[in-house]
Amino acid sequence: MPTPTYPNLRHIRLFVACAETASLTLAATALGITQPAASQALRRLEKHLDTSLVERDTMTLTAEGRIALQRSRRLLDLIRQACPPAARAAIVTVETRLAWPHLRAIATFAEHGSFSAAARMLGQSEPAVQRAAREAEAVMGVCLFENSGRNVRLTVAGLSAARWFSLALAEFVSLRDELLEARNHYAGRISIGTLPLTRTFLVPEVIAHLANRFPLARFEIVEGSYEVLVDDLERGRIDILVGALRRNLVSNTLHQEPLFDFELSVVGRADHPLAQSRKITPDDLAGYPWVVARRGTPSRETFNAMAATFPKDKPARRSVETGSLNAIRGVLLKSDHLALLSRHQIRYELAANFLAVMDYPLPDSRRPVGVTLRRHWLPTTLQAEFLALLRQHSAELDGPTPLSRLRERPPSPSNMR
Protein backbone atom coordinates (compact mmCIF):
# COMPACT_ATOMS: atom_id res chain seq x y z
CA MET A 1 0.00 0.00 0.00
CA PRO A 2 1.29 3.51 -0.74
CA THR A 3 3.18 5.31 1.98
CA PRO A 4 1.32 8.47 3.02
CA THR A 5 2.97 11.87 2.92
CA TYR A 6 2.87 13.75 6.18
CA PRO A 7 2.27 17.45 6.81
CA ASN A 8 4.51 19.36 9.17
CA LEU A 9 3.69 18.42 12.76
CA ARG A 10 4.03 22.06 13.78
CA HIS A 11 1.25 22.92 11.37
CA ILE A 12 -1.01 20.35 13.04
CA ARG A 13 -0.21 21.83 16.45
CA LEU A 14 -0.97 25.29 15.11
CA PHE A 15 -4.34 24.13 13.75
CA VAL A 16 -5.31 22.59 17.11
CA ALA A 17 -4.31 25.75 18.96
CA CYS A 18 -6.28 27.84 16.47
CA ALA A 19 -9.38 25.68 16.94
CA GLU A 20 -9.12 25.77 20.73
CA THR A 21 -8.61 29.55 20.97
CA ALA A 22 -10.80 30.51 17.98
CA SER A 23 -8.05 32.95 17.11
CA LEU A 24 -5.14 32.69 14.74
CA THR A 25 -3.34 35.47 16.63
CA LEU A 26 -3.65 33.69 19.99
CA ALA A 27 -2.57 30.40 18.40
CA ALA A 28 0.48 32.08 16.90
CA THR A 29 1.39 33.56 20.29
CA ALA A 30 0.98 30.20 22.00
CA LEU A 31 3.37 28.59 19.53
CA GLY A 32 5.81 31.50 19.55
CA ILE A 33 5.47 32.45 15.89
CA THR A 34 4.19 35.48 14.03
CA GLN A 35 0.62 35.81 12.85
CA PRO A 36 1.61 35.79 9.16
CA ALA A 37 3.66 32.63 9.74
CA ALA A 38 0.66 31.03 11.47
CA SER A 39 -1.63 31.97 8.59
CA GLN A 40 0.81 30.48 6.10
CA ALA A 41 1.15 27.28 8.16
CA LEU A 42 -2.63 26.83 8.26
CA ARG A 43 -2.87 27.29 4.50
CA ARG A 44 -0.15 24.73 3.94
CA LEU A 45 -1.92 22.21 6.16
CA GLU A 46 -5.19 22.73 4.30
CA LYS A 47 -3.40 22.33 0.99
CA HIS A 48 -1.76 19.11 2.17
CA LEU A 49 -5.09 17.70 3.35
CA ASP A 50 -6.88 19.11 0.31
CA THR A 51 -9.65 20.67 2.36
CA SER A 52 -10.75 23.82 4.15
CA LEU A 53 -10.45 23.49 7.91
CA VAL A 54 -11.35 26.96 9.23
CA GLU A 55 -13.78 29.64 8.07
CA ARG A 56 -11.51 32.69 8.05
CA ASP A 57 -14.19 35.34 8.63
CA THR A 58 -15.56 33.71 11.81
CA MET A 59 -12.63 31.43 12.71
CA THR A 60 -15.08 28.55 13.14
CA LEU A 61 -14.29 25.04 12.01
CA THR A 62 -15.75 23.58 8.87
CA ALA A 63 -17.32 20.10 8.99
CA GLU A 64 -14.04 18.61 7.80
CA GLY A 65 -12.19 20.83 10.25
CA ARG A 66 -14.12 19.20 13.11
CA ILE A 67 -13.04 15.78 11.86
CA ALA A 68 -9.44 16.92 11.59
CA LEU A 69 -9.51 18.45 15.07
CA GLN A 70 -10.67 15.24 16.72
CA ARG A 71 -8.03 13.16 14.95
CA SER A 72 -5.30 15.77 15.45
CA ARG A 73 -5.93 15.93 19.19
CA ARG A 74 -5.71 12.17 19.41
CA LEU A 75 -2.53 12.15 17.32
CA LEU A 76 -0.78 14.74 19.50
CA ASP A 77 -1.88 12.96 22.67
CA LEU A 78 -0.35 9.72 21.40
CA ILE A 79 2.95 11.51 20.83
CA ARG A 80 2.79 12.90 24.37
CA GLN A 81 2.25 9.40 25.73
CA ALA A 82 5.56 8.37 24.18
CA CYS A 83 7.40 10.61 26.61
CA PRO A 84 8.24 8.76 29.85
CA PRO A 85 7.36 10.45 33.17
CA ALA A 86 10.92 11.74 33.54
CA ALA A 87 10.50 13.76 30.32
CA ARG A 88 6.99 15.08 31.00
CA ALA A 89 8.31 18.29 32.57
CA ALA A 90 9.83 19.24 29.23
CA ILE A 91 6.83 18.10 27.18
CA VAL A 92 6.35 21.50 25.50
CA THR A 93 9.94 21.46 24.25
CA VAL A 94 9.62 17.85 23.13
CA GLU A 95 6.37 18.55 21.27
CA THR A 96 7.92 21.51 19.51
CA ARG A 97 10.99 19.66 18.30
CA LEU A 98 9.68 16.17 17.43
CA ALA A 99 8.90 15.67 13.74
CA TRP A 100 7.54 12.89 11.56
CA PRO A 101 10.99 11.59 10.53
CA HIS A 102 11.75 10.99 14.21
CA LEU A 103 8.53 9.05 14.72
CA ARG A 104 8.96 6.99 11.57
CA ALA A 105 12.59 6.12 12.33
CA ILE A 106 11.78 4.81 15.82
CA ALA A 107 8.59 2.99 14.78
CA THR A 108 10.18 1.35 11.74
CA PHE A 109 13.28 0.30 13.68
CA ALA A 110 11.01 -1.40 16.23
CA GLU A 111 9.07 -3.20 13.50
CA HIS A 112 12.06 -4.48 11.53
CA GLY A 113 14.76 -4.78 14.18
CA SER A 114 17.66 -2.85 12.64
CA PHE A 115 18.60 0.47 11.09
CA SER A 116 19.47 -1.19 7.80
CA ALA A 117 16.06 -2.85 7.52
CA ALA A 118 14.31 0.35 8.60
CA ALA A 119 16.23 2.29 5.95
CA ARG A 120 15.12 -0.14 3.24
CA MET A 121 11.51 0.12 4.32
CA LEU A 122 11.61 3.92 4.44
CA GLY A 123 13.56 4.26 1.20
CA GLN A 124 16.26 6.26 2.94
CA SER A 125 19.96 5.83 3.66
CA GLU A 126 20.91 4.05 6.86
CA PRO A 127 22.82 7.08 8.22
CA ALA A 128 19.73 9.27 7.68
CA VAL A 129 17.51 6.88 9.65
CA GLN A 130 20.10 6.56 12.41
CA ARG A 131 20.42 10.33 12.61
CA ALA A 132 16.64 10.79 12.91
CA ALA A 133 16.43 8.12 15.61
CA ARG A 134 19.28 9.60 17.63
CA GLU A 135 17.76 13.08 17.27
CA ALA A 136 14.51 11.73 18.75
CA GLU A 137 16.49 10.28 21.63
CA ALA A 138 18.17 13.64 22.26
CA VAL A 139 14.91 15.60 21.99
CA MET A 140 13.12 13.32 24.47
CA GLY A 141 16.07 13.26 26.85
CA VAL A 142 15.83 9.53 27.51
CA CYS A 143 17.85 6.54 26.38
CA LEU A 144 15.93 4.79 23.60
CA PHE A 145 18.69 2.47 22.38
CA GLU A 146 21.25 0.17 23.97
CA ASN A 147 24.06 -1.97 22.61
CA SER A 148 23.72 -5.73 22.80
CA GLY A 149 27.03 -7.14 21.60
CA ARG A 150 27.36 -5.93 18.03
CA ASN A 151 23.66 -5.23 17.75
CA VAL A 152 21.60 -2.22 18.72
CA ARG A 153 18.20 -2.72 20.32
CA LEU A 154 15.51 -0.57 21.89
CA THR A 155 15.40 -0.06 25.64
CA VAL A 156 12.15 -0.44 27.58
CA ALA A 157 11.56 3.29 27.10
CA GLY A 158 12.38 2.90 23.40
CA LEU A 159 9.89 0.07 22.94
CA SER A 160 7.21 2.13 24.66
CA ALA A 161 7.97 5.18 22.51
CA ALA A 162 7.91 3.06 19.35
CA ARG A 163 4.44 1.77 20.20
CA TRP A 164 3.00 5.25 20.76
CA PHE A 165 4.72 6.62 17.66
CA SER A 166 3.30 3.76 15.57
CA LEU A 167 -0.19 4.56 16.85
CA ALA A 168 0.30 8.25 16.03
CA LEU A 169 1.29 7.35 12.47
CA ALA A 170 -1.80 5.15 12.17
CA GLU A 171 -3.97 7.95 13.53
CA PHE A 172 -2.85 10.26 10.74
CA VAL A 173 -3.79 7.62 8.15
CA SER A 174 -7.25 7.48 9.76
CA LEU A 175 -7.47 11.29 9.65
CA ARG A 176 -6.77 11.29 5.94
CA ASP A 177 -9.21 8.42 5.27
CA GLU A 178 -11.97 10.05 7.30
CA LEU A 179 -11.64 13.32 5.41
CA LEU A 180 -12.14 11.37 2.18
CA GLU A 181 -15.17 9.64 3.68
CA ALA A 182 -16.67 13.04 4.46
CA ARG A 183 -16.74 13.57 0.69
CA ASN A 184 -18.34 10.14 0.11
CA HIS A 185 -15.04 8.80 -1.20
CA TYR A 186 -14.50 5.45 0.52
CA ALA A 187 -10.95 4.60 -0.49
CA GLY A 188 -9.54 3.93 2.97
CA ARG A 189 -7.74 0.92 4.34
CA ILE A 190 -8.73 -1.81 6.77
CA SER A 191 -5.99 -4.10 8.06
CA ILE A 192 -7.35 -7.29 9.62
CA GLY A 193 -5.30 -9.76 11.59
CA THR A 194 -6.74 -13.27 11.23
CA LEU A 195 -6.26 -16.42 13.26
CA PRO A 196 -6.86 -19.89 11.75
CA LEU A 197 -10.51 -20.26 12.76
CA THR A 198 -11.69 -17.24 10.77
CA ARG A 199 -9.32 -17.09 7.81
CA THR A 200 -11.36 -19.25 5.47
CA PHE A 201 -15.00 -18.42 6.06
CA LEU A 202 -15.78 -15.34 8.15
CA VAL A 203 -13.32 -12.58 7.34
CA PRO A 204 -13.11 -13.29 3.55
CA GLU A 205 -16.89 -13.27 3.15
CA VAL A 206 -17.39 -10.01 5.04
CA ILE A 207 -14.57 -8.44 3.03
CA ALA A 208 -16.10 -9.63 -0.24
CA HIS A 209 -19.44 -8.11 0.72
CA LEU A 210 -17.95 -4.79 1.79
CA ALA A 211 -15.65 -4.62 -1.25
CA ASN A 212 -18.70 -4.90 -3.52
CA ARG A 213 -20.25 -1.91 -1.80
CA PHE A 214 -17.06 0.14 -1.66
CA PRO A 215 -14.92 -0.86 -4.66
CA LEU A 216 -12.19 1.70 -3.89
CA ALA A 217 -11.65 0.44 -0.34
CA ARG A 218 -8.47 -1.50 0.40
CA PHE A 219 -8.35 -4.59 2.60
CA GLU A 220 -5.24 -6.16 4.04
CA ILE A 221 -5.45 -9.64 5.59
CA VAL A 222 -2.53 -10.31 7.90
CA GLU A 223 -1.76 -13.84 9.08
CA GLY A 224 0.52 -14.84 11.90
CA SER A 225 0.70 -16.27 15.38
CA TYR A 226 -1.49 -14.81 18.11
CA GLU A 227 1.51 -13.23 19.83
CA VAL A 228 2.73 -11.51 16.66
CA LEU A 229 -0.73 -10.25 15.72
CA VAL A 230 -1.43 -8.90 19.21
CA ASP A 231 1.81 -6.95 19.00
CA ASP A 232 0.79 -5.65 15.57
CA LEU A 233 -2.58 -4.59 16.99
CA GLU A 234 -1.04 -2.75 19.94
CA ARG A 235 1.25 -0.84 17.57
CA GLY A 236 -1.49 0.09 15.13
CA ARG A 237 -0.09 -2.02 12.29
CA ILE A 238 -3.44 -3.81 12.12
CA ASP A 239 -6.85 -2.40 13.05
CA ILE A 240 -8.70 -5.52 14.17
CA LEU A 241 -7.76 -9.04 15.26
CA VAL A 242 -10.35 -11.73 14.48
CA GLY A 243 -10.13 -15.27 15.83
CA ALA A 244 -10.33 -17.47 18.90
CA LEU A 245 -10.34 -15.40 22.08
CA ARG A 246 -7.92 -15.98 24.94
CA ARG A 247 -9.22 -16.67 28.42
CA ASN A 248 -6.16 -15.20 30.07
CA LEU A 249 -5.88 -11.89 28.23
CA VAL A 250 -5.11 -9.16 30.75
CA SER A 251 -4.34 -5.88 29.05
CA ASN A 252 -4.66 -2.17 29.73
CA THR A 253 -4.55 -1.46 26.01
CA LEU A 254 -6.72 -4.19 24.43
CA HIS A 255 -10.17 -5.65 24.96
CA GLN A 256 -12.00 -8.67 23.54
CA GLU A 257 -15.53 -8.92 22.18
CA PRO A 258 -17.04 -12.39 21.66
CA LEU A 259 -18.90 -12.98 18.39
CA PHE A 260 -19.87 -16.66 18.43
CA ASP A 261 -18.78 -20.02 19.80
CA PHE A 262 -17.12 -22.72 17.74
CA GLU A 263 -16.85 -26.42 18.50
CA LEU A 264 -14.00 -28.65 17.42
CA SER A 265 -14.43 -32.08 15.87
CA VAL A 266 -12.12 -34.92 14.89
CA VAL A 267 -11.59 -34.63 11.14
CA GLY A 268 -9.98 -36.86 8.52
CA ARG A 269 -10.30 -37.56 4.82
CA ALA A 270 -13.69 -38.74 3.62
CA ASP A 271 -12.51 -42.35 3.12
CA HIS A 272 -10.52 -42.48 6.34
CA PRO A 273 -10.64 -45.90 8.08
CA LEU A 274 -12.55 -44.31 11.00
CA ALA A 275 -15.02 -42.39 8.82
CA GLN A 276 -17.72 -45.10 8.99
CA SER A 277 -17.11 -46.14 12.60
CA ARG A 278 -19.88 -45.47 15.05
CA LYS A 279 -18.10 -46.29 18.29
CA ILE A 280 -14.71 -44.67 18.07
CA THR A 281 -12.62 -45.03 21.21
CA PRO A 282 -9.57 -43.21 22.52
CA ASP A 283 -7.59 -46.33 21.64
CA ASP A 284 -8.73 -45.97 18.01
CA LEU A 285 -7.66 -42.33 17.88
CA ALA A 286 -4.29 -43.12 19.40
CA GLY A 287 -3.61 -45.45 16.48
CA TYR A 288 -3.29 -42.61 13.96
CA PRO A 289 -0.90 -39.68 13.53
CA TRP A 290 -2.20 -36.17 14.20
CA VAL A 291 -1.87 -32.70 12.77
CA VAL A 292 -1.94 -30.40 15.80
CA ALA A 293 -2.21 -26.66 16.30
CA ARG A 294 0.62 -24.60 17.71
CA ARG A 295 1.28 -24.64 21.43
CA GLY A 296 -0.68 -22.14 23.48
CA THR A 297 -3.67 -22.05 21.13
CA PRO A 298 -7.20 -23.03 22.21
CA SER A 299 -7.22 -25.87 19.66
CA ARG A 300 -3.99 -27.28 21.08
CA GLU A 301 -5.43 -27.12 24.60
CA THR A 302 -8.43 -29.15 23.44
CA PHE A 303 -6.15 -31.67 21.74
CA ASN A 304 -4.03 -32.05 24.88
CA ALA A 305 -7.16 -32.70 26.96
CA MET A 306 -8.31 -35.37 24.48
CA ALA A 307 -4.84 -36.94 24.23
CA ALA A 308 -4.76 -37.32 28.01
CA THR A 309 -7.53 -39.95 27.64
CA PHE A 310 -5.44 -42.13 25.28
CA PRO A 311 -4.03 -45.41 26.65
CA LYS A 312 -0.76 -44.91 28.51
CA ASP A 313 1.00 -47.36 26.21
CA LYS A 314 -0.24 -45.49 23.10
CA PRO A 315 0.61 -41.79 23.51
CA ALA A 316 -0.63 -39.33 20.91
CA ARG A 317 1.53 -39.06 17.81
CA ARG A 318 1.86 -35.33 17.15
CA SER A 319 3.19 -35.87 13.66
CA VAL A 320 2.69 -32.37 12.23
CA GLU A 321 2.38 -29.01 14.00
CA THR A 322 1.03 -26.09 12.00
CA GLY A 323 -1.41 -23.20 12.04
CA SER A 324 -1.96 -23.30 8.29
CA LEU A 325 -5.33 -24.67 7.22
CA ASN A 326 -3.98 -25.26 3.71
CA ALA A 327 -1.21 -27.45 5.13
CA ILE A 328 -3.67 -29.30 7.37
CA ARG A 329 -5.98 -30.01 4.43
CA GLY A 330 -3.13 -31.22 2.30
CA VAL A 331 -1.88 -33.65 4.93
CA LEU A 332 -5.37 -34.95 5.75
CA LEU A 333 -6.30 -35.57 2.12
CA LYS A 334 -3.13 -37.56 1.37
CA SER A 335 -2.76 -39.62 4.55
CA ASP A 336 -4.43 -41.24 7.54
CA HIS A 337 -3.69 -38.22 9.72
CA LEU A 338 -6.44 -36.75 11.90
CA ALA A 339 -6.89 -33.19 13.14
CA LEU A 340 -9.18 -31.10 15.32
CA LEU A 341 -11.06 -28.57 13.23
CA SER A 342 -14.29 -26.61 13.34
CA ARG A 343 -17.04 -27.44 10.85
CA HIS A 344 -16.99 -23.76 9.88
CA GLN A 345 -13.40 -24.07 8.72
CA ILE A 346 -14.04 -27.02 6.43
CA ARG A 347 -17.60 -26.50 5.30
CA TYR A 348 -16.61 -26.48 1.62
CA GLU A 349 -14.54 -29.66 2.01
CA LEU A 350 -17.44 -31.33 3.82
CA ALA A 351 -19.88 -30.31 1.08
CA ALA A 352 -17.52 -31.65 -1.60
CA ASN A 353 -17.03 -34.90 0.36
CA PHE A 354 -13.28 -34.38 0.61
CA LEU A 355 -13.15 -34.45 4.40
CA ALA A 356 -15.35 -36.05 7.04
CA VAL A 357 -16.15 -35.44 10.70
CA MET A 358 -15.60 -38.53 12.83
CA ASP A 359 -18.28 -39.72 15.23
CA TYR A 360 -16.37 -38.86 18.37
CA PRO A 361 -17.79 -36.17 20.68
CA LEU A 362 -15.28 -33.89 22.33
CA PRO A 363 -16.45 -32.67 25.74
CA ASP A 364 -15.69 -29.05 26.64
CA SER A 365 -14.44 -28.21 23.16
CA ARG A 366 -16.50 -25.06 22.71
CA ARG A 367 -14.44 -21.90 22.49
CA PRO A 368 -15.39 -18.26 21.82
CA VAL A 369 -14.42 -16.53 18.59
CA GLY A 370 -14.41 -12.77 18.51
CA VAL A 371 -12.54 -9.56 17.85
CA THR A 372 -9.71 -8.06 19.81
CA LEU A 373 -9.54 -4.26 19.58
CA ARG A 374 -7.47 -1.45 21.00
CA ARG A 375 -9.12 0.39 23.85
CA HIS A 376 -10.19 3.90 22.82
CA TRP A 377 -9.75 3.00 19.14
CA LEU A 378 -11.80 5.35 16.95
CA PRO A 379 -12.66 3.55 13.69
CA THR A 380 -13.27 5.34 10.44
CA THR A 381 -16.70 4.89 8.87
CA LEU A 382 -15.36 2.10 6.65
CA GLN A 383 -13.74 0.30 9.59
CA ALA A 384 -16.90 0.69 11.67
CA GLU A 385 -18.98 -0.76 8.82
CA PHE A 386 -16.65 -3.75 8.60
CA LEU A 387 -16.99 -4.35 12.33
CA ALA A 388 -20.78 -4.03 12.16
CA LEU A 389 -20.99 -6.56 9.31
CA LEU A 390 -18.66 -8.88 11.17
CA ARG A 391 -20.98 -8.80 14.18
CA GLN A 392 -24.08 -9.33 12.08
CA HIS A 393 -22.59 -12.14 10.04
CA SER A 394 -21.44 -13.87 13.22
CA ALA A 395 -24.91 -13.60 14.74
CA GLU A 396 -26.36 -15.27 11.64
CA LEU A 397 -23.84 -18.09 11.33
CA ASP A 398 -26.43 -20.69 12.30
CA GLY A 399 -28.81 -19.48 9.60
CA PRO A 400 -29.02 -21.02 6.11
CA THR A 401 -27.31 -18.23 4.18
CA PRO A 402 -25.77 -15.62 6.47
CA LEU A 403 -24.71 -13.22 3.72
CA SER A 404 -27.99 -13.33 1.82
CA ARG A 405 -29.67 -11.07 4.33
CA LEU A 406 -26.63 -8.81 4.50
CA ARG A 407 -26.93 -8.12 0.78
CA GLU A 408 -30.46 -6.83 1.31
CA ARG A 409 -29.19 -4.01 3.54
CA PRO A 410 -28.68 -0.68 1.76
CA PRO A 411 -25.31 0.99 2.24
CA SER A 412 -25.41 3.15 5.33
CA PRO A 413 -21.91 4.43 6.04
CA SER A 414 -23.22 7.84 7.11
CA ASN A 415 -25.15 6.15 9.92
CA MET A 416 -22.12 4.44 11.36
CA ARG A 417 -20.67 7.45 13.16
Side-chain angles (χ1 to χ4, degrees):
M1 294 184 180
T3 301
T5 57
Y6 298 91
N8 194 312
L9 263 178
R10 291 192 296 271
H11 298 171
I12 293 179
R13 296 187 184 101
L14 183 280
F15 163 64
V16 172
C18 181
E20 292 176 346
T21 61
S23 167
L24 195 59
T25 302
L26 292 176
T29 301
L31 270 68
I33 60 176
T34 65
Q35 197 275 344
S39 180
Q40 186 179 56
L42 185 58
R43 284 198 301 270
R44 287 180 177 175
L45 179 61
E46 290 177 323
K47 182 178 180 181
H48 188 99
L49 297 177
D50 191 26
T51 188
S52 173
L53 300 174
V54 179
E55 299 288 356
R56 296 300 195 273
D57 52 346
T58 61
M59 293 308 294
T60 57
L61 296 179
T62 64
E64 293 183 14
R66 290 190 292 272
I67 293 172
L69 177 63
Q70 181 182 40
R71 291 289 180 183
S72 296
R73 281 173 168 166
R74 289 168 59 87
L75 187 158
L76 295 178
D77 185 60
L78 291 167
I79 295 175
R80 294 186 194 104
Q81 294 296 323
C83 297
R88 296 286 166 84
I91 189 66
V92 175
T93 302
V94 173
E95 277 193 333
T96 302
R97 296 178 60 192
L98 276 180
W100 289 114
H102 300 141
L103 275 60
R104 295 178 69 200
I106 300 294
T108 311
F109 179 95
E111 183 175 357
H112 297 283
S114 70
F115 284 119
S116 59
R120 287 194 298 272
M121 293 304 299
L122 293 172
Q124 300 175 10
S125 69
E126 186 173 341
V129 176
Q130 285 197 45
R131 183 167 55 253
R134 295 302 185 179
E135 284 176 358
E137 190 174 46
V139 166
M140 296 174 68
V142 292
C143 184
L144 301 179
F145 297 91
E146 62 185 2
N147 292 324
S148 177
R150 295 184 177 181
N151 298 320
V152 178
R153 66 184 182 187
L154 289 166
T155 62
V156 173
L159 289 169
S160 176
R163 174 178 173 268
W164 293 111
F165 288 165
S166 294
L167 290 172
L169 291 164
E171 194 68 30
F172 176 74
V173 173
S174 294
L175 184 160
R176 186 191 56 185
D177 289 348
E178 200 168 5
L179 288 176
L180 291 174
E181 290 175 348
R183 305 166 209 163
N184 291 318
H185 186 64
Y186 295 89
R189 173 193 64 87
I190 307 175
S191 183
I192 309 109
T194 58
L195 295 170
L197 281 164
T198 58
R199 285 173 187 162
T200 58
F201 74 99
L202 179 61
V203 170
E205 291 179 2
V206 174
I207 286 177
H209 175 73
L210 202 58
N212 285 334
R213 290 172 54 188
F214 304 109
L216 297 179
R218 292 167 290 131
F219 303 89
E220 180 185 20
I221 301 176
V222 181
E223 299 183 3
S225 68
Y226 178 79
E227 292 75 18
V228 168
L229 292 176
V230 161
D231 184 64
D232 284 347
L233 181 64
E234 288 191 313
R235 295 179 182 277
R237 293 196 287 261
I238 61 174
D239 304 307
I240 302 169
L241 175 57
V242 188
L245 301 182
R246 269 34 179 188
R247 295 170 175 170
N248 58 348
L249 177 66
V250 178
S251 174
N252 293 325
T253 58
L254 304 177
H255 71 95
Q256 299 183 139
E257 176 189 331
L259 293 175
F260 65 95
D261 287 344
F262 72 92
E263 191 166 4
L264 293 173
S265 302
V266 177
V267 175
R269 70 174 194 273
D271 58 347
H272 192 280
L274 294 181
Q276 303 304 319
S277 300
R278 289 293 172 263
K279 290 186 178 180
I280 299 174
T281 66
D283 184 75
D284 294 328
L285 298 179
Y288 293 94
W290 286 81
V291 184
V292 297
R294 294 189 181 98
R295 294 178 184 178
T297 62
S299 296
R300 183 63 175 266
E301 292 173 3
T302 300
F303 175 84
N304 290 340
M306 178 194 68
T309 68
F310 290 3
K312 294 186 182 298
D313 61 338
K314 294 179 67 176
R317 287 189 281 158
R318 299 171 179 84
S319 174
V320 180
E321 180 177 318
T322 181
S324 167
L325 185 57
N326 286 334
I328 295 172
R329 275 194 301 239
V331 173
L332 295 184
L333 290 170
K334 298 295 184 180
S335 71
D336 285 343
H337 280 72
L338 298 171
L340 296 186
L341 296 169
S342 162
R343 288 176 182 267
H344 294 302
Q345 291 176 281
I346 56 169
R347 59 179 179 173
Y348 299 119
E349 289 81 0
L350 292 175
N353 200 32
F354 293 151
L355 298 177
V357 172
M358 308 301 157
D359 187 15
Y360 187 84
L362 291 171
D364 302 322
S365 74
R366 295 186 70 83
R367 295 288 187 273
V369 167
V371 292
T372 306
L373 306 169
R374 291 189 298 276
R375 296 184 186 274
H376 311 303
W377 175 55
L378 180 63
T380 64
T381 298
L382 192 65
Q383 292 165 347
E385 182 76 350
F386 175 85
L387 193 55
L389 289 175
L390 198 65
R391 290 168 177 148
Q392 184 172 350
H393 188 191
S394 298
E396 298 174 347
L397 274 176
D398 293 329
T401 52
L403 278 178
S404 61
R405 288 189 293 277
L406 289 179
R407 293 192 181 97
E408 297 170 2
R409 297 176 61 232
S412 55
S414 61
N415 297 328
M416 294 302 302
R417 304 303 295 167

